[in-house]
Amino acid sequence: MRSLSKLQRVAIFFLITGILGPLAPLTIASLAFRWGWPDLLPSIWWWEKRDTLQVPLAWDYIFDPVSRVVPAMQNTILIALCVTLLALIISLPAAKVLATQNFKGKSLFELFLAAPLIVPEMAVSLGMLLVFLQFGLQGNLVAIIIAHLVPVIPYMVRVLTVIYGELDKGMLDQAALLGASRYQIFRYVEFPLILPGILAAALFSILISTNIFLLTFYVGQGQVDTLATLLFSKIRGGGALDPVSAGLTLVIILPGLLFLAFTHRTLKEEVFSGGLNKS
Amino acid sequence: MDGLRLEKVKTAFDNGDEIGPVSFYLPKGEMMALLGASGSGKTTTLRMIAGLSPLTEGQFFFNKTDISSLPVRLRKVGMVFQNFALFPHLNVSNNISFGLRMEGKSTEFIQKKLDWIINKTHLNGLETRFVHELSGGQKQRVALARTLVKDPDILLLDEPLSNLDANLREEMALFIRELQRDLGITTLFVTHDQEEALMLADQVVVMDQGNILQQGTPVDIFERPTSKRVAEFMGALNLLPGKVVGPKTVDCDIGAITVSNMLLDQKNVGDAATLMIRPEHIRIDTNSGNNDIEMQSFPAVVTSARYQGGIMSYRVASGQSELSVRQDSRVRIAVGHDVFLTFSPNHVWSLPDDTLQ
């Protein structure tokens, strides 16, 4: 293999620092008991005080039922998965039509689709809560899942429209000519070809859903804990980065990371077998 | 009348443009070329037969059965696309067996057919390769195998040689021709290249702007075009306008030319006529040493001479006209020489009247 040039090395160094850099102080903070200025590292670590204090500290607190982090984690993952699945079911046919067909008012429709991204989240959240209250649909998971679909679907339709735009329609015609039924065409040709796009869209959706605070908080009425609401309630007091907030921030990265690890193989195999539409 | 018969089929695009009406008959087991420039409607005609472009009018038959209303997957029509449309997520043998697997054939049956077609298309050893690991010629053969393994009644090929390197074309053309003869499959292919059409086809259909201009054997199309468009499309560079002055005689710019084709018999003295002489059928010589009573000679001057391997390509001026001449390069005549043009009355073709506009 060719060795990297100096410029490439520098670029990679900054890239890695940029991504991992912010995580390093977070990790250290989550393990600290006292970390004051100007110390480079904590003067007292969490495990040094672990046995002497009665209340659970740092990571002990995070995993203690009192903190409600574990159920919040479960909620977050459950919401993200449901949102992703529903958004896929809604967005796939929409994206296919947008990518392959022309109809009157298409550009207007596309603008409308982007509306949730343009309108401030605060307005969307309050408006949605008012509507949900009419139906008594607040303070539960279903309400939150529906609310999350609003910002997720526009992103997803966009990603999938690009994927469908790149799909060679000749592949589907060819499958029909070879005797495949409509279901078989989808199952054995269309789906495998757009799978990488679906996974990318799903990753987007999971990342967005796990990060939404305002919508979750309003529509959930503070009744449903997610990692985002816990984190916000934790840091509302002041700017201080206590070990628990730092730990929570690390935990919130987890769902997306897990999904990426899970789908990594599929994405990689796709690249090795020639990627999307190389024929 | 076994074979494929199209009866006034028409289709329309979203923008309102129409193709057709197209009618032709392709006898069973023969190979036909649809020849035309891009936009002439030849690929659309293939797509109509395949069922990918819906008919707005007309119908077509295979062995007297109307197949124009059948769904795509039940037509027994195989089509190889210009870009081959091989499935990138499947390896060679799974690409080829796709159609059989979709039909739910047994594993033994599929394996037997797979072995047969892989042998026929010389793909042995490539079974586990993926599409991006294949050369252009190999992709072409996989696409052919994938279609032929299903024993279609009709094989459609869209520009089968256009995606291949120049040195591969002739080899692939011969391969396709042999395979087609061997399997006896009724084949229709689309091309914009007249040489390709002449080399491969039993029958040629020339299309222009959604309509058929002429159908015939390669010799018909090449030597006896029925319109100026066809003549030009087949690379006939020498079209001479003139006036009929007597039986079988047309007065052109270069002199009075004797013509032996029948179409001229229908004309009267004084009528306008257009004559076609193919560049290959004219001989030029520095002396008029021509004892053949059948031949006719006219004086001319060489204005350009290009060496093209075994062939010399000349432009010669005679009167107000310029003509192209192609002949053996063993004798080379330099620019500026006075020469005599010689050709036989049998090689002069008078184009029909309706094409003079």
Side-chain angles (χ1 to χ4, degrees), chain A residues 168 170-171 173-181 184 188-189 192-193 272-276 278-279, chain B residues 47 50 52 72-73 77 79 81 83 85-89 98-99 102 130-132 139 146-147 150:
Chain A
D168 177 5
M171 301 268 175
D173 287 342
Q174 185 57 250
L177 281 164
L178 291 169
S181 67
Q184 286 175 322
Y188 297 108
V189 181
L193 289 179
F272 274 121
S273 69
L276 262 179
K278 286 172 206 151
S279 61
Chain B
R47 293 178 61 86
L52 301 174
V72 175
R73 65 197 199 93
V77 172
M79 180 164 171
F81 292 166
N83 70 354
L86 295 176
F87 304 131
H89 59 296
F98 183 86
M102 293 302 111
F130 280 91
V131 177
H132 69 281
K139 282 182 193 167
R146 182 175 64 172
T147 292
K150 291 206 57 190

mmCIF file of all heavy atoms in Angstrom, chain A residues 168 170-171 173-181 184 188-189 192-193 272-276 278-279, chain B residues 47 50 52 72-73 77 79 81 83 85-89 98-99 102 130-132 139 146-147 150:
data_model
loop_
_atom_site.group_PDB
_atom_site.id
_atom_site.type_symbol
_atom_site.label_atom_id
_atom_site.label_comp_id
_atom_site.label_asym_id
_atom_site.label_seq_id
_atom_site.Cartn_x
_atom_site.Cartn_y
_atom_site.Cartn_z
ATOM 1 N N ASP A 168 -30.984 2.561 -11.593
ATOM 2 C CA ASP A 168 -31.225 2.383 -13.021
ATOM 3 C C ASP A 168 -32.549 1.652 -13.210
ATOM 4 O O ASP A 168 -32.683 0.491 -12.852
ATOM 5 C CB ASP A 168 -30.063 1.567 -13.611
ATOM 6 C CG ASP A 168 -30.269 1.271 -15.080
ATOM 7 O OD1 ASP A 168 -31.248 1.774 -15.667
ATOM 8 O OD2 ASP A 168 -29.429 0.532 -15.635
ATOM 9 N N GLY A 170 -33.761 0.508 -15.726
ATOM 10 C CA GLY A 170 -33.564 -0.631 -16.614
ATOM 11 C C GLY A 170 -33.426 -1.948 -15.853
ATOM 12 O O GLY A 170 -33.826 -2.997 -16.334
ATOM 13 N N MET A 171 -32.852 -1.878 -14.642
ATOM 14 C CA MET A 171 -32.706 -3.084 -13.811
ATOM 15 C C MET A 171 -34.077 -3.687 -13.504
ATOM 16 O O MET A 171 -34.261 -4.900 -13.546
ATOM 17 C CB MET A 171 -32.055 -2.731 -12.473
ATOM 18 C CG MET A 171 -30.713 -2.118 -12.607
ATOM 19 S SD MET A 171 -29.465 -3.386 -12.550
ATOM 20 C CE MET A 171 -28.050 -2.374 -12.882
ATOM 21 N N ASP A 173 -36.919 -3.086 -15.180
ATOM 22 C CA ASP A 173 -37.517 -3.543 -16.441
ATOM 23 C C ASP A 173 -36.949 -4.910 -16.816
ATOM 24 O O ASP A 173 -37.675 -5.809 -17.239
ATOM 25 C CB ASP A 173 -37.201 -2.549 -17.570
ATOM 26 C CG ASP A 173 -38.007 -1.263 -17.433
ATOM 27 O OD1 ASP A 173 -39.026 -1.283 -16.708
ATOM 28 O OD2 ASP A 173 -37.612 -0.252 -18.038
ATOM 29 N N GLN A 174 -35.625 -5.026 -16.660
ATOM 30 C CA GLN A 174 -34.967 -6.282 -17.014
ATOM 31 C C GLN A 174 -35.509 -7.433 -16.167
ATOM 32 O O GLN A 174 -35.788 -8.505 -16.677
ATOM 33 C CB GLN A 174 -33.452 -6.134 -16.826
ATOM 34 C CG GLN A 174 -32.636 -7.308 -17.264
ATOM 35 C CD GLN A 174 -32.833 -7.690 -18.710
ATOM 36 O OE1 GLN A 174 -33.414 -8.731 -19.027
ATOM 37 N NE2 GLN A 174 -32.369 -6.846 -19.624
ATOM 38 N N ALA A 175 -35.693 -7.182 -14.876
ATOM 39 C CA ALA A 175 -36.218 -8.218 -13.993
ATOM 40 C C ALA A 175 -37.614 -8.648 -14.452
ATOM 41 O O ALA A 175 -37.927 -9.840 -14.481
ATOM 42 C CB ALA A 175 -36.260 -7.716 -12.552
ATOM 43 N N ALA A 176 -38.431 -7.680 -14.874
ATOM 44 C CA ALA A 176 -39.773 -8.009 -15.361
ATOM 45 C C ALA A 176 -39.684 -8.847 -16.628
ATOM 46 O O ALA A 176 -40.394 -9.843 -16.790
ATOM 47 C CB ALA A 176 -40.574 -6.742 -15.618
ATOM 48 N N LEU A 177 -38.759 -8.462 -17.521
ATOM 49 C CA LEU A 177 -38.585 -9.214 -18.764
ATOM 50 C C LEU A 177 -38.138 -10.649 -18.480
ATOM 51 O O LEU A 177 -38.428 -11.561 -19.238
ATOM 52 C CB LEU A 177 -37.540 -8.533 -19.648
ATOM 53 C CG LEU A 177 -38.026 -7.327 -20.435
ATOM 54 C CD1 LEU A 177 -36.857 -6.509 -20.944
ATOM 55 C CD2 LEU A 177 -38.890 -7.782 -21.600
ATOM 56 N N LEU A 178 -37.408 -10.832 -17.381
ATOM 57 C CA LEU A 178 -36.930 -12.175 -17.039
ATOM 58 C C LEU A 178 -37.994 -12.960 -16.281
ATOM 59 O O LEU A 178 -37.737 -14.054 -15.807
ATOM 60 C CB LEU A 178 -35.640 -12.081 -16.218
ATOM 61 C CG LEU A 178 -34.424 -11.563 -16.993
ATOM 62 C CD1 LEU A 178 -33.280 -11.251 -16.056
ATOM 63 C CD2 LEU A 178 -33.992 -12.572 -18.044
ATOM 64 N N GLY A 179 -39.169 -12.382 -16.135
ATOM 65 C CA GLY A 179 -40.286 -13.140 -15.582
ATOM 66 C C GLY A 179 -40.577 -12.902 -14.113
ATOM 67 O O GLY A 179 -41.360 -13.636 -13.515
ATOM 68 N N ALA A 180 -39.959 -11.893 -13.510
ATOM 69 C CA ALA A 180 -40.209 -11.644 -12.090
ATOM 70 C C ALA A 180 -41.547 -10.915 -11.901
ATOM 71 O O ALA A 180 -41.907 -10.053 -12.710
ATOM 72 C CB ALA A 180 -39.074 -10.812 -11.497
ATOM 73 N N SER A 181 -42.254 -11.285 -10.841
ATOM 74 C CA SER A 181 -43.505 -10.598 -10.522
ATOM 75 C C SER A 181 -43.173 -9.275 -9.831
ATOM 76 O O SER A 181 -42.031 -9.028 -9.480
ATOM 77 C CB SER A 181 -44.356 -11.458 -9.603
ATOM 78 O OG SER A 181 -43.715 -11.589 -8.346
ATOM 79 N N GLN A 184 -41.534 -9.933 -6.605
ATOM 80 C CA GLN A 184 -40.164 -10.461 -6.778
ATOM 81 C C GLN A 184 -39.194 -9.369 -7.217
ATOM 82 O O GLN A 184 -38.043 -9.350 -6.799
ATOM 83 C CB GLN A 184 -40.166 -11.596 -7.812
ATOM 84 C CG GLN A 184 -40.770 -12.887 -7.275
ATOM 85 C CD GLN A 184 -40.873 -13.945 -8.352
ATOM 86 O OE1 GLN A 184 -41.182 -13.640 -9.503
ATOM 87 N NE2 GLN A 184 -40.620 -15.193 -7.991
ATOM 88 N N TYR A 188 -36.095 -8.945 -4.811
ATOM 89 C CA TYR A 188 -34.796 -9.464 -5.244
ATOM 90 C C TYR A 188 -33.939 -8.465 -6.028
ATOM 91 O O TYR A 188 -32.759 -8.700 -6.254
ATOM 92 C CB TYR A 188 -34.976 -10.744 -6.075
ATOM 93 C CG TYR A 188 -35.599 -11.858 -5.272
ATOM 94 C CD1 TYR A 188 -36.912 -12.259 -5.500
ATOM 95 C CD2 TYR A 188 -34.891 -12.489 -4.251
ATOM 96 C CE1 TYR A 188 -37.500 -13.261 -4.739
ATOM 97 C CE2 TYR A 188 -35.466 -13.487 -3.484
ATOM 98 C CZ TYR A 188 -36.770 -13.868 -3.728
ATOM 99 O OH TYR A 188 -37.335 -14.849 -2.973
ATOM 100 N N VAL A 189 -34.528 -7.372 -6.489
ATOM 101 C CA VAL A 189 -33.728 -6.405 -7.245
ATOM 102 C C VAL A 189 -33.763 -5.018 -6.596
ATOM 103 O O VAL A 189 -32.742 -4.495 -6.170
ATOM 104 C CB VAL A 189 -34.184 -6.315 -8.720
ATOM 105 C CG1 VAL A 189 -33.316 -5.315 -9.473
ATOM 106 C CG2 VAL A 189 -34.118 -7.675 -9.375
ATOM 107 N N PRO A 192 -32.519 -4.933 -2.627
ATOM 108 C CA PRO A 192 -31.064 -5.044 -2.427
ATOM 109 C C PRO A 192 -30.297 -3.842 -2.979
ATOM 110 O O PRO A 192 -29.278 -3.448 -2.422
ATOM 111 C CB PRO A 192 -30.682 -6.312 -3.196
ATOM 112 C CG PRO A 192 -31.929 -7.045 -3.453
ATOM 113 C CD PRO A 192 -33.077 -6.094 -3.346
ATOM 114 N N LEU A 193 -30.801 -3.262 -4.060
ATOM 115 C CA LEU A 193 -30.069 -2.151 -4.664
ATOM 116 C C LEU A 193 -30.203 -0.864 -3.852
ATOM 117 O O LEU A 193 -29.287 -0.044 -3.842
ATOM 118 C CB LEU A 193 -30.545 -1.903 -6.100
ATOM 119 C CG LEU A 193 -30.136 -2.970 -7.115
ATOM 120 C CD1 LEU A 193 -30.672 -2.635 -8.498
ATOM 121 C CD2 LEU A 193 -28.624 -3.125 -7.172
ATOM 122 N N PHE A 272 -17.994 -3.590 -1.664
ATOM 123 C CA PHE A 272 -17.115 -4.567 -2.284
ATOM 124 C C PHE A 272 -17.754 -5.226 -3.496
ATOM 125 O O PHE A 272 -17.089 -5.563 -4.450
ATOM 126 C CB PHE A 272 -16.700 -5.643 -1.273
ATOM 127 C CG PHE A 272 -15.514 -5.233 -0.471
ATOM 128 C CD1 PHE A 272 -15.574 -5.150 0.908
ATOM 129 C CD2 PHE A 272 -14.334 -4.901 -1.108
ATOM 130 C CE1 PHE A 272 -14.478 -4.750 1.641
ATOM 131 C CE2 PHE A 272 -13.224 -4.500 -0.389
ATOM 132 C CZ PHE A 272 -13.304 -4.424 0.996
ATOM 133 N N SER A 273 -19.065 -5.414 -3.465
ATOM 134 C CA SER A 273 -19.705 -6.082 -4.594
ATOM 135 C C SER A 273 -20.037 -5.089 -5.696
ATOM 136 O O SER A 273 -20.836 -5.344 -6.556
ATOM 137 C CB SER A 273 -20.953 -6.811 -4.151
ATOM 138 O OG SER A 273 -21.952 -5.876 -3.792
ATOM 139 N N GLY A 274 -19.436 -3.907 -5.621
ATOM 140 C CA GLY A 274 -19.576 -2.998 -6.751
ATOM 141 C C GLY A 274 -20.400 -1.785 -6.451
ATOM 142 O O GLY A 274 -20.648 -0.964 -7.315
ATOM 143 N N GLY A 275 -20.868 -1.659 -5.235
ATOM 144 C CA GLY A 275 -21.620 -0.467 -4.874
ATOM 145 C C GLY A 275 -22.964 -0.418 -5.538
ATOM 146 O O GLY A 275 -23.459 -1.420 -6.028
ATOM 147 N N LEU A 276 -23.520 0.759 -5.574
ATOM 148 C CA LEU A 276 -24.908 0.883 -6.012
ATOM 149 C C LEU A 276 -25.137 0.515 -7.467
ATOM 150 O O LEU A 276 -25.562 -0.564 -7.772
ATOM 151 C CB LEU A 276 -25.394 2.303 -5.736
ATOM 152 C CG LEU A 276 -26.183 2.366 -4.450
ATOM 153 C CD1 LEU A 276 -26.646 3.776 -4.183
ATOM 154 C CD2 LEU A 276 -27.388 1.432 -4.525
ATOM 155 N N LYS A 278 -23.078 0.386 -10.270
ATOM 156 C CA LYS A 278 -22.018 0.173 -11.249
ATOM 157 C C LYS A 278 -22.332 -1.071 -12.052
ATOM 158 O O LYS A 278 -22.472 -2.143 -11.488
ATOM 159 C CB LYS A 278 -20.675 0.014 -10.543
ATOM 160 C CG LYS A 278 -20.179 1.342 -10.029
ATOM 161 C CD LYS A 278 -18.962 1.128 -9.169
ATOM 162 C CE LYS A 278 -18.821 2.236 -8.169
ATOM 163 N NZ LYS A 278 -18.151 1.803 -6.969
ATOM 164 N N SER A 279 -22.457 -0.936 -13.337
ATOM 165 C CA SER A 279 -22.741 -2.123 -14.152
ATOM 166 C C SER A 279 -21.734 -2.223 -15.277
ATOM 167 O O SER A 279 -20.928 -1.345 -15.463
ATOM 168 C CB SER A 279 -24.133 -2.054 -14.741
ATOM 169 O OG SER A 279 -24.246 -0.915 -15.568
ATOM 170 N N ARG B 47 -38.892 -1.509 -27.368
ATOM 171 C CA ARG B 47 -39.575 -1.428 -26.079
ATOM 172 C C ARG B 47 -41.061 -1.733 -26.210
ATOM 173 O O ARG B 47 -41.670 -2.268 -25.287
ATOM 174 C CB ARG B 47 -39.345 -0.059 -25.439
ATOM 175 C CG ARG B 47 -37.881 0.171 -25.030
ATOM 176 C CD ARG B 47 -37.659 1.552 -24.447
ATOM 177 N NE ARG B 47 -38.444 1.759 -23.241
ATOM 178 C CZ ARG B 47 -38.062 1.405 -22.021
ATOM 179 N NH1 ARG B 47 -36.889 0.831 -21.846
ATOM 180 N NH2 ARG B 47 -38.831 1.626 -20.988
ATOM 181 N N ALA B 50 -41.231 -5.458 -26.322
ATOM 182 C CA ALA B 50 -40.945 -6.010 -24.994
ATOM 183 C C ALA B 50 -42.078 -5.727 -24.012
ATOM 184 O O ALA B 50 -42.201 -6.398 -22.995
ATOM 185 C CB ALA B 50 -39.640 -5.435 -24.451
ATOM 186 N N LEU B 52 -42.485 -2.615 -22.670
ATOM 187 C CA LEU B 52 -42.056 -1.550 -21.760
ATOM 188 C C LEU B 52 -42.620 -0.193 -22.181
ATOM 189 O O LEU B 52 -42.673 0.726 -21.385
ATOM 190 C CB LEU B 52 -40.528 -1.486 -21.708
ATOM 191 C CG LEU B 52 -39.847 -2.780 -21.255
ATOM 192 C CD1 LEU B 52 -38.337 -2.674 -21.382
ATOM 193 C CD2 LEU B 52 -40.223 -3.137 -19.828
ATOM 194 N N VAL B 72 -45.655 -8.037 -19.502
ATOM 195 C CA VAL B 72 -44.241 -8.163 -19.879
ATOM 196 C C VAL B 72 -43.682 -9.545 -19.568
ATOM 197 O O VAL B 72 -43.056 -10.181 -20.403
ATOM 198 C CB VAL B 72 -43.398 -7.100 -19.138
ATOM 199 C CG1 VAL B 72 -41.921 -7.288 -19.418
ATOM 200 C CG2 VAL B 72 -43.842 -5.707 -19.546
ATOM 201 N N ARG B 73 -43.958 -10.022 -18.346
ATOM 202 C CA ARG B 73 -43.264 -11.236 -17.904
ATOM 203 C C ARG B 73 -43.796 -12.514 -18.549
ATOM 204 O O ARG B 73 -43.202 -13.565 -18.412
ATOM 205 C CB ARG B 73 -43.299 -11.343 -16.381
ATOM 206 C CG ARG B 73 -44.666 -11.516 -15.787
ATOM 207 C CD ARG B 73 -44.630 -11.201 -14.313
ATOM 208 N NE ARG B 73 -45.783 -11.772 -13.628
ATOM 209 C CZ ARG B 73 -45.770 -12.968 -13.055
ATOM 210 N NH1 ARG B 73 -44.679 -13.696 -13.089
ATOM 211 N NH2 ARG B 73 -46.843 -13.412 -12.464
ATOM 212 N N VAL B 77 -40.366 -12.744 -24.404
ATOM 213 C CA VAL B 77 -39.509 -11.857 -25.176
ATOM 214 C C VAL B 77 -38.310 -11.523 -24.297
ATOM 215 O O VAL B 77 -38.475 -11.111 -23.160
ATOM 216 C CB VAL B 77 -40.256 -10.560 -25.539
ATOM 217 C CG1 VAL B 77 -39.301 -9.552 -26.171
ATOM 218 C CG2 VAL B 77 -41.405 -10.855 -26.485
ATOM 219 N N MET B 79 -34.777 -9.327 -23.773
ATOM 220 C CA MET B 79 -34.165 -8.105 -24.300
ATOM 221 C C MET B 79 -32.847 -7.837 -23.585
ATOM 222 O O MET B 79 -32.773 -7.932 -22.365
ATOM 223 C CB MET B 79 -35.123 -6.927 -24.105
ATOM 224 C CG MET B 79 -34.578 -5.603 -24.613
ATOM 225 S SD MET B 79 -35.906 -4.382 -24.795
ATOM 226 C CE MET B 79 -34.966 -2.904 -25.135
ATOM 227 N N PHE B 81 -30.326 -4.894 -22.863
ATOM 228 C CA PHE B 81 -30.254 -3.437 -22.925
ATOM 229 C C PHE B 81 -28.882 -2.972 -23.373
ATOM 230 O O PHE B 81 -27.896 -3.686 -23.250
ATOM 231 C CB PHE B 81 -30.556 -2.829 -21.549
ATOM 232 C CG PHE B 81 -31.989 -3.009 -21.115
ATOM 233 C CD1 PHE B 81 -32.367 -2.792 -19.807
ATOM 234 C CD2 PHE B 81 -32.967 -3.381 -22.026
ATOM 235 C CE1 PHE B 81 -33.675 -2.950 -19.398
ATOM 236 C CE2 PHE B 81 -34.282 -3.533 -21.634
ATOM 237 C CZ PHE B 81 -34.634 -3.323 -20.313
ATOM 238 N N ASN B 83 -26.945 -0.849 -21.950
ATOM 239 C CA ASN B 83 -25.967 -0.841 -20.849
ATOM 240 C C ASN B 83 -25.940 -2.181 -20.112
ATOM 241 O O ASN B 83 -25.396 -2.287 -19.029
ATOM 242 C CB ASN B 83 -26.264 0.311 -19.891
ATOM 243 C CG ASN B 83 -27.523 0.103 -19.079
ATOM 244 O OD1 ASN B 83 -28.266 -0.866 -19.304
ATOM 245 N ND2 ASN B 83 -27.787 0.979 -18.129
ATOM 246 N N ALA B 85 -27.620 -3.725 -18.088
ATOM 247 C CA ALA B 85 -28.441 -3.778 -16.871
ATOM 248 C C ALA B 85 -28.231 -5.068 -16.081
ATOM 249 O O ALA B 85 -29.177 -5.711 -15.634
ATOM 250 C CB ALA B 85 -29.930 -3.580 -17.201
ATOM 251 N N LEU B 86 -26.971 -5.448 -15.912
ATOM 252 C CA LEU B 86 -26.676 -6.626 -15.081
ATOM 253 C C LEU B 86 -26.877 -6.242 -13.617
ATOM 254 O O LEU B 86 -26.642 -5.102 -13.230
ATOM 255 C CB LEU B 86 -25.238 -7.084 -15.311
ATOM 256 C CG LEU B 86 -24.936 -7.582 -16.718
ATOM 257 C CD1 LEU B 86 -23.455 -7.908 -16.845
ATOM 258 C CD2 LEU B 86 -25.773 -8.797 -17.059
ATOM 259 N N PHE B 87 -27.325 -7.212 -12.807
ATOM 260 C CA PHE B 87 -27.580 -6.911 -11.400
ATOM 261 C C PHE B 87 -26.258 -6.866 -10.630
ATOM 262 O O PHE B 87 -25.569 -7.879 -10.527
ATOM 263 C CB PHE B 87 -28.504 -7.966 -10.789
ATOM 264 C CG PHE B 87 -29.805 -8.103 -11.537
ATOM 265 C CD1 PHE B 87 -30.283 -9.347 -11.909
ATOM 266 C CD2 PHE B 87 -30.563 -6.983 -11.863
ATOM 267 C CE1 PHE B 87 -31.484 -9.469 -12.598
ATOM 268 C CE2 PHE B 87 -31.755 -7.087 -12.553
ATOM 269 C CZ PHE B 87 -32.217 -8.345 -12.921
ATOM 270 N N PRO B 88 -25.890 -5.709 -10.087
ATOM 271 C CA PRO B 88 -24.565 -5.578 -9.454
ATOM 272 C C PRO B 88 -24.456 -6.352 -8.144
ATOM 273 O O PRO B 88 -23.358 -6.619 -7.677
ATOM 274 C CB PRO B 88 -24.432 -4.071 -9.204
ATOM 275 C CG PRO B 88 -25.826 -3.559 -9.178
ATOM 276 C CD PRO B 88 -26.634 -4.453 -10.073
ATOM 277 N N HIS B 89 -25.609 -6.703 -7.535
ATOM 278 C CA HIS B 89 -25.540 -7.387 -6.245
ATOM 279 C C HIS B 89 -25.508 -8.904 -6.402
ATOM 280 O O HIS B 89 -25.501 -9.623 -5.401
ATOM 281 C CB HIS B 89 -26.715 -6.969 -5.359
ATOM 282 C CG HIS B 89 -28.055 -7.273 -5.963
ATOM 283 N ND1 HIS B 89 -28.492 -6.673 -7.119
ATOM 284 C CD2 HIS B 89 -29.036 -8.099 -5.567
ATOM 285 C CE1 HIS B 89 -29.707 -7.125 -7.407
ATOM 286 N NE2 HIS B 89 -30.055 -7.994 -6.495
ATOM 287 N N PHE B 98 -31.254 -15.910 -12.759
ATOM 288 C CA PHE B 98 -32.309 -15.079 -12.137
ATOM 289 C C PHE B 98 -33.705 -15.429 -12.642
ATOM 290 O O PHE B 98 -34.614 -15.710 -11.864
ATOM 291 C CB PHE B 98 -32.007 -13.597 -12.390
ATOM 292 C CG PHE B 98 -32.983 -12.657 -11.725
ATOM 293 C CD1 PHE B 98 -32.795 -12.251 -10.421
ATOM 294 C CD2 PHE B 98 -34.099 -12.191 -12.416
ATOM 295 C CE1 PHE B 98 -33.692 -11.400 -9.802
ATOM 296 C CE2 PHE B 98 -35.006 -11.333 -11.803
ATOM 297 C CZ PHE B 98 -34.798 -10.941 -10.496
ATOM 298 N N GLY B 99 -33.857 -15.437 -13.961
ATOM 299 C CA GLY B 99 -35.179 -15.674 -14.544
ATOM 300 C C GLY B 99 -35.740 -17.042 -14.185
ATOM 301 O O GLY B 99 -36.922 -17.177 -13.865
ATOM 302 N N MET B 102 -36.829 -17.066 -10.534
ATOM 303 C CA MET B 102 -38.085 -16.352 -10.320
ATOM 304 C C MET B 102 -39.283 -17.223 -10.732
ATOM 305 O O MET B 102 -40.367 -17.097 -10.196
ATOM 306 C CB MET B 102 -38.117 -15.048 -11.113
ATOM 307 C CG MET B 102 -37.120 -14.016 -10.652
ATOM 308 S SD MET B 102 -37.297 -13.531 -8.918
ATOM 309 C CE MET B 102 -35.822 -14.230 -8.196
ATOM 310 N N PHE B 130 -18.274 -10.942 -9.834
ATOM 311 C CA PHE B 130 -19.315 -9.926 -9.802
ATOM 312 C C PHE B 130 -19.200 -9.041 -11.037
ATOM 313 O O PHE B 130 -18.167 -9.044 -11.711
ATOM 314 C CB PHE B 130 -19.235 -9.105 -8.511
ATOM 315 C CG PHE B 130 -19.867 -9.807 -7.343
ATOM 316 C CD1 PHE B 130 -19.122 -10.635 -6.518
ATOM 317 C CD2 PHE B 130 -21.232 -9.671 -7.108
ATOM 318 C CE1 PHE B 130 -19.711 -11.305 -5.463
ATOM 319 C CE2 PHE B 130 -21.835 -10.331 -6.059
ATOM 320 C CZ PHE B 130 -21.073 -11.149 -5.232
ATOM 321 N N VAL B 131 -20.257 -8.312 -11.303
ATOM 322 C CA VAL B 131 -20.349 -7.553 -12.550
ATOM 323 C C VAL B 131 -19.168 -6.600 -12.747
ATOM 324 O O VAL B 131 -18.637 -6.466 -13.848
ATOM 325 C CB VAL B 131 -21.681 -6.770 -12.583
ATOM 326 C CG1 VAL B 131 -21.765 -5.913 -13.825
ATOM 327 C CG2 VAL B 131 -22.841 -7.735 -12.522
ATOM 328 N N HIS B 132 -18.745 -5.943 -11.648
ATOM 329 C CA HIS B 132 -17.676 -4.965 -11.814
ATOM 330 C C HIS B 132 -16.317 -5.603 -12.064
ATOM 331 O O HIS B 132 -15.345 -4.914 -12.322
ATOM 332 C CB HIS B 132 -17.613 -4.028 -10.600
ATOM 333 C CG HIS B 132 -17.153 -4.702 -9.346
ATOM 334 N ND1 HIS B 132 -17.981 -5.480 -8.579
ATOM 335 C CD2 HIS B 132 -15.948 -4.731 -8.744
ATOM 336 C CE1 HIS B 132 -17.288 -5.942 -7.551
ATOM 337 N NE2 HIS B 132 -16.062 -5.508 -7.624
ATOM 338 N N LYS B 139 -19.418 -8.864 -20.020
ATOM 339 C CA LYS B 139 -20.728 -8.377 -19.579
ATOM 340 C C LYS B 139 -21.783 -8.649 -20.647
ATOM 341 O O LYS B 139 -22.888 -9.094 -20.355
ATOM 342 C CB LYS B 139 -20.674 -6.868 -19.322
ATOM 343 C CG LYS B 139 -20.023 -6.494 -18.020
ATOM 344 C CD LYS B 139 -20.063 -4.979 -17.850
ATOM 345 C CE LYS B 139 -19.146 -4.550 -16.725
ATOM 346 N NZ LYS B 139 -18.907 -3.133 -16.705
ATOM 347 N N ARG B 146 -28.111 -14.560 -19.741
ATOM 348 C CA ARG B 146 -29.211 -14.373 -18.799
ATOM 349 C C ARG B 146 -30.556 -14.370 -19.527
ATOM 350 O O ARG B 146 -31.555 -14.871 -19.019
ATOM 351 C CB ARG B 146 -29.008 -13.042 -18.062
ATOM 352 C CG ARG B 146 -30.055 -12.755 -17.021
ATOM 353 C CD ARG B 146 -29.735 -11.505 -16.254
ATOM 354 N NE ARG B 146 -29.755 -10.320 -17.104
ATOM 355 C CZ ARG B 146 -29.662 -9.077 -16.636
ATOM 356 N NH1 ARG B 146 -29.525 -8.858 -15.349
ATOM 357 N NH2 ARG B 146 -29.683 -8.062 -17.454
ATOM 358 N N THR B 147 -30.556 -13.810 -20.728
ATOM 359 C CA THR B 147 -31.791 -13.749 -21.502
ATOM 360 C C THR B 147 -32.064 -15.076 -22.211
ATOM 361 O O THR B 147 -33.180 -15.579 -22.197
ATOM 362 C CB THR B 147 -31.692 -12.595 -22.521
ATOM 363 O OG1 THR B 147 -31.690 -11.380 -21.782
ATOM 364 C CG2 THR B 147 -32.847 -12.592 -23.474
ATOM 365 N N LYS B 150 -33.589 -18.546 -20.737
ATOM 366 C CA LYS B 150 -35.029 -18.714 -20.579
ATOM 367 C C LYS B 150 -35.732 -19.146 -21.864
ATOM 368 O O LYS B 150 -36.959 -19.208 -21.910
ATOM 369 C CB LYS B 150 -35.654 -17.403 -20.081
ATOM 370 C CG LYS B 150 -35.258 -17.077 -18.654
ATOM 371 C CD LYS B 150 -36.300 -16.215 -17.990
ATOM 372 C CE LYS B 150 -37.658 -16.873 -18.025
ATOM 373 N NZ LYS B 150 -38.728 -15.985 -17.595
#
